[in-house]
Amino acid sequence: MNQYTVVFTRTAERQIEHLSPRERAHIARRIDSLAEVPRPRGSKKLKGSESLYRIRWGDFRILYEVRNKILVVVVIRIEKRGEAYRKVKESGYAKE
């Protein structure tokens, strides 16, 4: 099976930098695992989009896009539950 490359948007990079070391370590492990299995058990496809998914760790949501043709996972946002979904919708990333 081919391995995906995981990349971060600038927003996601900034968000992960502001987490505590403990949170950052746990979330980094979850994100790293997306290279092997981009749609792990427990991931949810976001409504209104063909390629946006989310995984969770505690109160945090990791929103990402899977680009199958080029084997890339793009991490879009890493935020607490309420903020993550609203901001993705506002950004227009979730195409309807």
Side-chain angles (χ1 to χ4, degrees):
M1 185 165 139
N2 295 330
Q3 188 158 356
Y4 284 69
T5 301
V6 177
V7 297
F8 292 79
T9 62
R10 204 156 171 73
T11 299
E13 286 177 348
R14 278 186 255 131
Q15 290 169 330
I16 203 165
E17 288 172 2
H18 288 94
L19 300 175
S20 73
R22 177 180 173 271
E23 292 167 337
R24 190 176 313 132
H26 284 285
I27 288 174
R29 278 197 296 274
R30 291 283 293 174
I31 291 170
D32 288 345
S33 72
L34 294 174
E36 297 276 332
V37 182
R39 293 171 201 83
R41 196 177 85 158
S43 67
K44 299 267 182 171
K45 189 170 193 263
L46 298 183
K47 292 180 182 178
S49 170
E50 293 184 25
S51 59
L52 290 179
Y53 293 84
R54 74 104 169 118
I55 54 175
R56 25 176 300 210
W57 178 77
D59 288 338
F60 286 92
R61 301 300 182 262
I62 302 159
L63 305 177
Y64 63 98
E65 179 181 25
V66 178
R67 298 181 182 171
N68 290 312
K69 289 182 181 177
I70 57 174
L71 299 178
V72 171
V73 172
V74 181
V75 178
I76 299 167
R77 301 195 81 74
I78 303 162
E79 290 189 302
K80 296 241 176 177
R81 185 176 146 288
E83 294 294 310
Y85 301 114
R86 181 176 54 83
K87 289 182 180 174
V88 164
K89 197 173 222 180
E90 289 173 0
S91 73
Y93 222 103
K95 301 167 189 100
E96 298 189 40

